[in-house]
Amino acid sequence: MSQMVCLGILAGMSVTDLLYRKVSGELLAAAGIGAVIFQICYGKCNVWILGGGIAVGLCFLGISRLTGEGIGYGDSIMILLLGIYLGIWKLLIVLSGAFFLLALAAVVLLSYYSIRGKGMAQGTVGMKKISRKYVLPFYPFLTCGYILYLVSWK
């Protein structure tokens, strides 16, 4: 049951991230409170596994700070919350799936727009400029990584 709640929260935040390119602090705070309450009431995680998940989330917050939000703060906070909820090993499985799908989507987008752009005039209407600096929202990939974890590791 709690896995479906987590999936619902991630899906809702994915839609918010896609539509507005931002996730509200209130949603993140509610998810954080839920993750902490879950660990207090139902947590069967070893303290070291839980601490490792928190450490991974804190590392992502540090990366967000150092890269000037190359990975957004909201994404990093959600990774921290997933670390509290899942622990380090399950979090790493989710992140592996998310980053794999993100890389796949980036390759597909870059390939599509580079093929589509050849032979067309630069001023063509509807032509999007996609480069290595194009930003993809991360929440949908985090949600898909969590779904892959639920399907394959349970």
Side-chain angles (χ1 to χ4, degrees):
M1 181 64 177
S2 64
Q3 295 168 343
M4 292 302 121
V5 172
C6 181
L7 181 59
I9 290 169
L10 278 171
M13 289 186 178
S14 295
V15 170
T16 303
D17 195 21
L18 285 169
L19 292 177
Y20 305 111
R21 295 289 207 191
K22 185 179 180 179
V23 176
S24 74
E26 292 84 13
L27 284 175
L28 286 171
I33 291 168
V36 170
I37 289 172
F38 173 80
Q39 278 301 331
I40 290 170
C41 296
Y42 303 107
K44 296 175 183 157
C45 260
N46 182 337
V47 173
W48 295 105
I49 292 174
L50 182 62
I54 293 170
V56 170
L58 292 175
C59 285
F60 272 92
L61 280 170
I63 291 169
S64 294
R65 175 86 173 167
L66 289 174
T67 62
E69 284 198 273
I71 295 177
Y73 285 118
D75 301 324
S76 298
I77 290 171
M78 182 48 76
I79 292 169
L80 173 65
L81 298 178
L82 280 173
I84 293 170
Y85 177 69
L86 297 172
I88 187 169
W89 303 120
K90 294 174 185 175
L91 174 64
L92 291 177
I93 292 168
V94 170
L95 287 175
S96 297
F99 280 116
F100 174 75
L101 293 171
L102 179 65
L104 190 64
V107 167
V108 167
L109 281 173
L110 284 173
S111 299
Y112 174 74
Y113 283 108
S114 69
I115 291 170
R116 185 177 164 206
K118 289 185 179 176
M120 297 181 82
Q122 287 290 9
T124 305
V125 177
M127 221 9 225
K128 285 187 178 180
K129 273 209 161 217
I130 300 249
S131 69
R132 293 175 66 198
K133 295 185 183 214
Y134 185 75
V135 179
L136 291 172
F138 189 61
Y139 271 99
F141 297 101
L142 204 54
T143 303
C144 290
Y146 185 72
I147 291 170
L148 285 175
Y149 158 73
L150 289 177
V151 169
S152 62
W153 292 92
K154 284 290 169 180

